[in-house]
Structure formats: C-alpha cells, structure tokens
Amino acid sequence: MRIRSALTALAVVLAGLVASAGSSTAAGGTTAAYCGITWGSAEKSAGALSDAPLVEVRTGRHDCYDRVVFEFAGPVDGYAIGYGETWTEGEGLALSPYTAGGALLRVSLRAPAYDDDHLGTVPYAVGEHVSNLLRYPTLRDVVFGGSFEGYSTFAVGVRARLPFRVLVLAGPGTHSRVVLDVAHQW
C-alpha cells in the first residue's frame, strides 16, 4: 500500500512539472515566453540555389531581437543557418578566431556575392567585419566568409546561443531579402 501511495504522489508531482514546463511562476501566476518568442535554436534551411547576387548586408536593433538583413538583386529563397563553426567559402578557413561573440551562427546563402562577370557585388573581402554593432544587445559581429560556386557565407557572432528565426521577404522592387532575427534572451 505504501508503494502505491508513493507512486501516486510521484505521478502527481511529475504531472505538475510537465504542466508547468516552459513557463515560470511569479507571484503565483505564470509568465509568457520572452516577447512571445518561440523560435528555438535548431538549424533552419530552405530554398534553392539562385544566381541573383547579394548586394547589401545591414543590421538593426529591435525591442526583442537584433536583425541581419541580406539583400539580393533578384529572387532568392535559399539559406542554411545554424549554430556552429563557419568556414570560408573555397578555402575552408575557420572564422571563429576572427569573430566576436559567445556563440557563432553559420550563415550559408544559396546565392553568389558576385555578378555574371565574377566581380564582387558587396564591398567586403573575406574575413572583413560587415557592421558596427556597438550597443547591440545580442549581435556581436558579422564577418564575410566569401562566395564560391554560387554560395555566400557569413559568420554571425552573438552574445550566447539564443533563439533565432529566418524570414524570406520580397522587395524592395525586384529585390529579395533573407532576414535573420536573433532574440535578446530565451
């Protein structure tokens, strides 16, 4: 009888833990996820290879996340983004020693950073820092890893391994954008 009572009590405790997983209590209530963000930190990939060249990379600060925007001169929807080491395209040189941040997002865009004449379409050389990120809560660095055989790579240094999302947006005009948002916290 005692074993059955102990198992019943244990089942009640476990059910309570499962029901409250993912939320925290404050003053007897529960709180929602930070800014409603439920993105996660697993690798995300989609789309196909495109020949529309990368023309601009810019960053922005928002209330709940920091943003990196990759803009292309035409339709692009291909990317693979996840936490881990980033290697330069064509050389295989690790970018982690040159990228600030406690965690590294590996950004592989399925589009070139050069035109049909193989002239660069962005002003960065391999290993160059793309943006000044002073006062950004989450982003620490964006480093160009090069472009080779239609793929362009960036190392995005962030404060820590945090949730992120990737959006593909049309415009402006005939351009398209791959947008990386990294949350300020879990």
Side-chain angles (χ1 to χ4, degrees):
M1 228 26 198
R2 286 184 182 172
I3 293 175
R4 182 176 293 172
S5 296
L7 288 174
T8 302
L10 181 59
V12 169
V13 169
L14 286 174
L17 288 173
V18 168
S20 66
S23 65
S24 60
T25 58
T30 60
T31 58
Y34 172 74
C35 289
I37 291 173
T38 58
W39 304 336
S41 63
E43 181 165 333
K44 296 156 181 63
S45 65
L49 196 60
S50 171
D51 61 357
L54 178 69
V55 293
E56 185 177 5
V57 179
R58 57 188 176 273
T59 60
R61 291 178 296 178
H62 296 269
D63 289 340
C64 300
Y65 55 87
D66 288 346
R67 172 171 280 183
V68 183
V69 178
F70 303 94
E71 186 172 330
F72 302 87
V76 170
D77 66 356
Y79 62 84
I81 300 175
Y83 282 99
E85 182 61 76
T86 303
W87 307 91
T88 57
E89 286 293 342
E91 291 180 284
L93 175 68
L95 286 174
S96 58
Y98 311 101
T99 308
L104 192 67
L105 276 165
R106 176 185 65 259
V107 176
S108 178
L109 304 168
R110 296 176 180 154
Y114 50 82
D115 61 19
D116 291 338
D117 295 323
H118 294 282
L119 298 173
T121 54
V122 292
Y124 324 112
V126 173
E128 284 191 0
H129 304 270
V130 172
S131 186
N132 178 347
L133 299 172
L134 185 65
R135 296 188 186 91
Y136 277 68
T138 298
L139 291 179
R140 295 295 182 256
D141 211 349
V142 178
V143 176
F144 183 50
S147 190
F148 185 71
E149 294 185 349
Y151 291 84
S152 298
T153 299
F154 289 83
V156 177
V158 294
R159 180 175 44 80
R161 186 180 178 119
L162 293 162
F164 70 94
R165 70 177 173 184
V166 182
L167 307 169
V168 176
L169 305 173
T174 60
H175 286 207
S176 64
R177 294 163 285 154
V178 172
V179 176
L180 168 64
D181 292 334
V182 185
H184 295 322
Q185 65 186 48
W186 281 97

